[in-house]
């Protein structure tokens, strides 16, 4: 399972996320997407933990918590769906 963290401070780092989620168990992966053009953090992240029970606890404890000046939105990540744009244009 992957945890989605929304409304994240733009100053948050992967190390910050590892530290705060590490309080609930072993963090196995952190993904902190950045904008392609500016390189700036996009305000959300994904965290994987080694144990599902630890992930559930982290979600329960962290959702709605104020951290780094922002009220976090923390929940189970939804599976990624295929992009609708597909890069092709229809010709009529």
């Amino acid at each position: 399972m992957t945890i989605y963290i929304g409304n994240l401070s733009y100053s948050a780092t992967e190390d910050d996320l590892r530290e705060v989620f590490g309080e609930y168990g072993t963090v196995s992966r952190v993904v902190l997407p950045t904008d392609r053009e500016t390189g700036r953090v996009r305000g959300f992240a994904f965290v994987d933990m080694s144990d599902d029970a630890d992930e559930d606890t982290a979600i329960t404890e962290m959702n709605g918590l104020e951290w780094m000046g922002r009220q976090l939105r923390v929940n189970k990540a939804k599976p990624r769906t295929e992009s609708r744009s597909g890069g092709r244009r229809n010709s009529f």
Side-chain angles (χ1 to χ4, degrees), residues 16-27 47 49:
D16 292 332
L17 289 164
R18 283 186 187 281
E19 182 178 331
V20 74
F21 280 88
E23 294 177 20
Y24 301 98
T26 303
V27 175
V47 172
M49 298 181 75

Side-chain angles (χ1 to χ4, degrees), residues 13-38:
T13 66
E14 286 186 25
D15 288 340
D16 292 332
L17 289 164
R18 283 186 187 281
E19 182 178 331
V20 74
F21 280 88
E23 294 177 20
Y24 301 98
T26 303
V27 175
S28 57
R29 183 177 75 121
V30 174
V31 176
L32 189 60
T34 56
D35 183 271
R36 290 181 196 170
E37 293 178 17
T38 65

Side-chain angles (χ1 to χ4, degrees), residues 2 5 10-12 15 21 24 36 39 42 45-46 51 53 56 59 62 67-69 72-73 77-78 85-86 91:
T2 299
I5 303 98
Y10 294 111
S11 62
D15 288 340
F21 280 88
Y24 301 98
R36 290 181 196 170
R42 295 179 63 196
F46 300 96
D51 184 77
D56 290 338
I59 290 169
M62 299 282 300
W67 186 63
M68 298 182 87
L72 298 179
R73 191 171 49 247
K78 295 178 180 165
S85 64
S91 54

